[in-house]
């Protein structure tokens, strides 16, 4: 390959973006960044601070403290998986639970939270090969990304996948609750004022409702080959 590429993968909640993005990064020897884990970590931080309640979110306090939220990534020595660090603490398991999932879309709609995260994401990106997944990577974070993919799948398929993933980790979950959370998050993500979830005009759509991960990788290899032929 001539040079290292920036690959942006955006799309709806729970459609397998991170599984797909991780495999692409592994195949190409690129860095993988899960931008959603950063918004999740910020949400955990503000939950702990007491700024997020069921009926009230203290937006002023969140804006005041957003610079206290430092996010980094490291490789877990035991699992070999990348984990998210919030101010140095491994929060990987804590940010996947239903409480953080229930508030993360509202927190990520705050302009100051977004600009803080976009700055971190761009600084990680730089000039190296990277695969980043999220909601606004191809539209806002890296509008000049070399390859942009927009992922989607039916709500039922996504809810079942999330249910299996969390149950597999021993988390006790309810399928209907997960489905409602996915629907609510998509709605908030698509309708927020700043950087709403939308397909970049030059993104290729991947609907993986009926595709295995192996089929998705074959699809990607064809896309990559076409890109390299043309560029
Ligand atoms: O990808 P995820 O489900 O872990 O993302 C969690 C939330 O974070 C999602 O509901 C919206 C927000 N998010 C965002 O606003 N922008 C991103 N680039 C990534 C995630």
């Amino acid at each position: 390959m001539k040079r290292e590429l920036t690959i942006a993968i955006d799309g709806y909640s729970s459609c397998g973006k991170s599984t797909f993005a991780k495999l692409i990064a592994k195949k190409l020897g690129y860095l993988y960044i899960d931008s959603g884990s950063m918004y999740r970590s910020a949400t955990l931080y503000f939950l702990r601070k007491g700024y997020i309640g069921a009926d009230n979110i203290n937006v002023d306090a969140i804006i005041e403290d957003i610079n206290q939220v430092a996010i980094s990534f490291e490789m877990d020595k035991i699992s070999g998986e990348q984990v998210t660090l919030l101010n140095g603490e491994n929060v990987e398991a804590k940010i996947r639970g239903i409480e953080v999932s229930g508030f993360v879309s509202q927190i990520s709609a705050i302009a100051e939270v977004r600009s803080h995260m976009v700055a971190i994401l761009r600084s990680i990106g730089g000039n190296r090969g990277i695969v980043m997944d999220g909601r606004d990577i191809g539209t806002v974070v890296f509008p000049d990304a070399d390859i942009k993919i927009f992922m989607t799948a039916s709500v039922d398929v996504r809810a079942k996948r999330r249910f299996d993933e969390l149950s597999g980790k021993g988390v006790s979950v309810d399928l209907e609750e997960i489905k409602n959370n996915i629907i609510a998050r998509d709605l908030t993500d698509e309708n927020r004022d700043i950087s709403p979830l939308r397909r970049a005009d030059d993104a290729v759509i991947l609907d993986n409702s009926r595709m295995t991960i192996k089929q998705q990788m074959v699809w990607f290899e064809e896309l990559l080959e076409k890109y390299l032929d043309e560029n």
Side-chain angles (χ1 to χ4, degrees), residues 10 13-14 17 34-37 39-40 96 104-105 108 114 121 133-137 141 162 185 189 192 195:
D10 289 303
S13 301
S14 305
K17 294 189 296 296
D34 167 8
S35 67
S37 75
Y39 291 93
R40 288 174 177 274
R96 307 289 162 193
V104 63
S105 277
S108 60
R114 298 209 70 79
L121 291 169
D133 73 10
R135 303 294 187 289
D136 62 343
I137 309 304
V141 181
R162 192 66 150 199
R185 276 204 289 145
D189 295 346
R192 67 181 173 223
S195 315

Side-chain angles (χ1 to χ4, degrees), residues 15 151-158 161 206-212 215-216:
C15 49
M151 287 178 74
T152 183
S154 79
V155 172
D156 285 319
V157 165
R158 290 189 278 142
R161 285 183 189 152
L206 172 61
D207 182 337
N208 69 5
S209 302
R210 290 162 196 274
M211 288 170 87
T212 62
Q215 290 168 325
Q216 292 170 62

